[in-house]
Amino acid sequence: MYNEEHRTITTERLLVRPFQLSDAQRVSEFCNNYNVYKSTLTLPYPYPIESAQSWIQTHEDNFRHNRSYEFAITDKYTHELYGAIGLSYKPLHKNGELGYWIGEEYWGKGYATEASKAVISFAFAEKKYHRVFARFFASNPASGRVMEKVGMVEEGRLVQHVYKEGKYEDLIHYGVINTGV
């Protein structure tokens, strides 16, 4: 459920909320992990706290201008940070790209799936998107399983589309259409 005043989304287990500068240290710890880095498209490595701080400082302006929405994935009760989820907005086409990462110690607990469902609902119900899409490296099938669990379907594969760490990676595209509009 989206709370417009606080810009939060509440799910069964999670509070998906705007990042705060006080989250920067934990973001840096999570993102300064090679296993998180290798599965993301644009995350730098190493990831110093200054990168986390400058990233968080862009969120308010992006949210206010409807360019993108970045949220912290946190525990609903303890407020422990688990990861991040973001949604871009392409107004010309009324769609957006979903992206997420979870701190390695929280992998396999369903947090990415639960947060993704909530943010897709936010995109369709609150922002009136027509479509949400996401991409993942073929070498990271767990991300593809998240996309399938939230109702996305595979739309295509860009063969050897990304050059990362000295090799080419296939990028697999998934998407979902807002059938409620």
Side-chain angles (χ1 to χ4, degrees):
M1 174 187 305
Y2 180 63
N3 179 313
E4 187 172 2
E5 180 184 353
H6 297 289
R7 297 181 180 167
T8 59
I9 305 169
T10 306
T11 70
E12 182 181 337
R13 301 179 298 162
L14 303 175
L15 176 66
V16 180
R17 60 158 174 83
F19 275 95
Q20 302 159 356
L21 270 179
S22 59
D23 296 318
Q25 180 63 44
R26 195 69 172 132
V27 167
S28 175
E29 291 166 9
F30 284 150
C31 295
N32 204 31
N33 175 324
Y34 177 77
N35 291 325
V36 172
Y37 157 77
K38 72 179 185 178
S39 298
T40 61
L41 192 58
T42 59
L43 199 67
Y45 183 80
Y47 196 92
I49 190 166
E50 294 81 14
S51 292
Q53 291 166 335
S54 63
W55 176 66
I56 291 169
Q57 289 172 334
T58 66
H59 296 177
E60 177 60 29
D61 193 50
N62 287 336
F63 198 106
R64 194 173 339 103
H65 292 98
N66 291 316
R67 286 189 292 260
S68 65
Y69 312 96
E70 298 286 346
F71 296 103
I73 301 171
T74 69
D75 184 274
K76 183 176 180 177
Y77 302 105
T78 68
H79 305 287
E80 185 174 359
L81 181 65
Y82 297 142
I85 189 161
L87 180 69
S88 68
Y89 183 48
K90 315 282 191 258
L92 180 63
H93 306 295
K94 298 183 183 185
N95 69 31
E97 182 174 7
L98 182 73
Y100 47 81
W101 56 260
I102 300 292
E104 186 175 14
E105 64 198 84
Y106 302 108
W107 289 359
K109 299 184 184 316
Y111 298 137
T113 300
E114 192 170 328
S116 293
K117 282 181 185 174
V119 171
I120 290 169
S121 178
F122 164 79
F124 291 161
E126 301 296 327
K127 297 300 178 181
K128 308 301 184 207
Y129 286 22
H130 173 67
R131 178 175 182 276
V132 172
F133 65 95
R135 306 173 286 171
F136 70 96
F137 293 139
S139 61
N140 183 18
S143 193
R145 285 192 295 278
V146 168
M147 293 173 198
E148 290 170 356
K149 289 177 190 174
V150 301
M152 291 184 159
V153 296
E154 185 175 338
E155 297 177 334
R157 176 185 293 248
L158 297 175
V159 178
Q160 297 185 9
H161 189 70
V162 175
Y163 187 73
K164 188 166 184 166
E165 298 196 290
K167 64 180 181 172
Y168 290 97
E169 286 267 2
D170 288 3
L171 204 56
I172 303 174
H173 282 245
Y174 270 66
V176 61
I177 303 291
N178 184 356
T179 57
V181 176

